[in-house]
Amino acid sequence: MPAAWMAGWLAVLAISALLTWGARHYALRRNLLDQPGARRSHGVATPRGGGIAIVLTLLLAGLAAAVLWPGARMALLVSGLGLVLVAGIGWWDDHRPLPAVRRLLVHVVAAALLAGLVWQASGNPWQALLALLFTTSLINIWNFMDGINGIATTQAILAGVAFALVMPPPFALAGIVLALACLGFLPFNYPRARIFMGDVGSGALGYAIAALVCLASVTTDIHWLLLLVPLSAFLVDAGFTLLSRMLSGQRWMEPHTQHLYQRAVKRGAGHTLVTALYFVFGLFSITVFNACSDLQPRWEAAVAVSWLTLTTGLWLLLRKGMRNQKDC
C-alpha cells in the first residue's frame, strides 16, 4: 500500500476527530443539548450536532478527489451539493426545529440530484427513479435509526467497508473515506456519548450511503437487490416499524421508541450491548454480500430475497418477544 494513501487515510481520520471535538465545544457554547424524555433513549442532557464533522470531512475529501480526478468533478460537485442540502436542513433543524414536510422537500431535491447522476451514468430512467425513492427513504431511515449511542455510525462504517470491497478503484475510495470519517467521530459517541450526531449527521449519512449504493449500481454488475443486504438491519427495523405505525393510525413522523433497538434498551439492555449486537449482525450481512457478489444476477437476487426474508423473520420473532413492552 503506497505510503501516500496511508497518510491520506490517516488524515481523514484525524480531521474527522478534530472537527468532532470542535463541534462538541460549539454545541456546549450554544447550549445545543438533547434533553432526556419519554420518547428518547438517553438519560442525561447531551450536546448534539456532531455529525457536521463527518459532513465536512466528506466534503474536504470530495474536494481532494476533484483535484486528483478532474473527470469526476461534475459528479463530485452534484453529489456534494446534495450532501450540503441534506446536512444544511439538518443543521437548521438542530438549531431551530422545522416542519417535517419542509425537511422532506429538501431531501427530495437532494435525492433528485443523485438520481440525475444515475440516469446520466446508466441511461436508465427507471434506475434513476429507483435511486430517487431509495435515497429519499434512506436519508430518513438513518435519521429514525440514530437513537442510541453508536448505532448509526457503526452501521455506516460497515456499509462503507462493504461497498469498498466490491467496487473497482478509484471508486472504492468513496467507501473507505466514509468509513474513516465515521470512525473519527465514533469515540465521541460510543460507548459513552459525549455528543450526538444530530439531524445534520444522521440525514447526511443516509444520503452518503445512498450515494455509495448508487455508485455501486453503475460501477459493478451486482444485482440491485443484493446491494440492499449490507443495510438490511436498518431497512428491516425502520421499514416494518414505520409500517406498523402507519397501519395502526399513529403519526409515524413523530419521535417514538418503537424500533426494535429502542425496545431492547427499554427492556434493560444497554446502548453498548444493543449497538454491538447490531454490529455483529451487520458483519454477517456484509459477509453474505461479499461472498455472493460474483454470482449470476438471478442468484444474487435469490440470495438477497432470502437474506431479507430471514432478517424480517428474526425481526418479527424478537418484536413478538417484546410485545408486552409498553409503547411510547
Side-chain angles (χ1 to χ4, degrees):
M1 181 185 300
W5 285 117
M6 179 62 73
W9 295 353
L10 290 175
V12 171
L13 187 64
I15 289 171
S16 177
L18 182 61
L19 289 174
T20 304
W21 178 86
R24 182 175 185 273
H25 284 268
Y26 169 84
L28 289 172
R29 287 197 307 270
R30 294 292 301 271
N31 199 35
L32 294 176
L33 303 175
D34 267 351
Q35 301 294 337
R39 295 182 177 181
R40 298 183 184 274
S41 299
H42 62 282
V44 296
T46 306
R48 66 175 180 267
I52 188 65
I54 299 174
V55 174
L56 293 176
T57 302
L58 293 178
L59 291 174
L60 288 172
L63 181 62
V67 173
L68 292 172
W69 296 285
R73 285 177 182 171
M74 184 55 65
L76 288 167
L77 175 62
V78 173
S79 58
L81 177 58
L83 182 64
V84 168
L85 286 173
V86 175
I89 198 68
W91 180 256
W92 190 348
D93 195 46
D94 283 332
H95 286 73
R96 185 179 302 169
L98 295 169
V101 173
R102 192 175 302 175
R103 296 198 308 271
L104 183 60
L105 288 175
V106 174
H107 295 166
V108 171
V109 171
L113 293 173
L114 202 55
L117 292 176
V118 171
W119 192 349
Q120 182 185 44
S122 66
N124 186 339
W126 296 110
Q127 187 173 344
L129 178 60
L130 184 62
L132 172 66
L133 298 174
F134 176 73
T135 302
T136 304
S137 300
L138 202 63
I139 291 169
N140 289 280
I141 285 173
W142 232 262
N143 182 271
F144 294 148
M145 295 296 290
D146 179 32
I148 62 173
N149 301 350
I151 192 167
T153 314
T154 53
Q155 291 297 309
I157 291 172
L158 288 171
V161 171
F163 293 114
L165 289 173
V166 299
M167 286 192 292
F171 303 108
L173 290 173
I176 295 173
V177 167
L178 176 63
L180 290 173
C182 291
L183 189 59
F185 169 83
L186 185 61
F188 293 87
N189 185 247
Y190 181 84
R192 184 175 70 88
R194 289 180 285 164
I195 189 168
F196 291 150
M197 190 178 299
D199 289 341
V200 62
S202 57
L205 265 190
Y207 179 86
I209 294 166
L212 277 182
V213 174
C214 291
L215 185 61
S217 74
V218 298
T219 60
T220 71
D221 295 325
I222 299 173
H223 195 282
W224 68 271
L225 279 173
L226 191 63
L227 294 174
L228 302 181
V229 167
L231 315 177
S232 55
F234 271 22
L235 294 180
V236 169
D237 195 358
F240 283 99
T241 298
L242 295 178
L243 179 61
S244 67
R245 285 175 62 81
M246 291 177 184
L247 293 176
S248 62
Q250 300 178 62
R251 300 183 66 177
W252 60 275
M253 288 293 289
E254 288 187 347
H256 61 87
T257 55
Q258 295 182 25
H259 291 294
L260 186 63
Y261 75 92
Q262 293 169 319
R263 290 173 179 265
V265 169
K266 287 169 63 180
R267 288 178 66 89
H271 289 215
T272 302
L273 175 61
V274 175
T275 294
L277 290 174
Y278 270 72
F279 185 81
V280 170
F281 182 84
L283 286 176
F284 280 105
S285 297
I286 67 173
T287 301
V288 170
F289 170 69
N290 188 259
C292 299
S293 60
D294 290 326
L295 299 176
Q296 294 181 2
R298 66 176 181 274
W299 291 115
E300 290 178 351
V303 168
V305 170
S306 299
W307 182 256
L308 292 171
T309 301
L310 176 65
T311 305
T312 300
L314 179 61
W315 182 89
L316 290 170
L317 181 65
L318 292 173
R319 184 179 173 91
K320 183 179 180 180
M322 301 177 186
R323 64 184 180 275
N324 294 325
Q325 180 68 35
K326 183 180 178 181
D327 293 338
C328 288

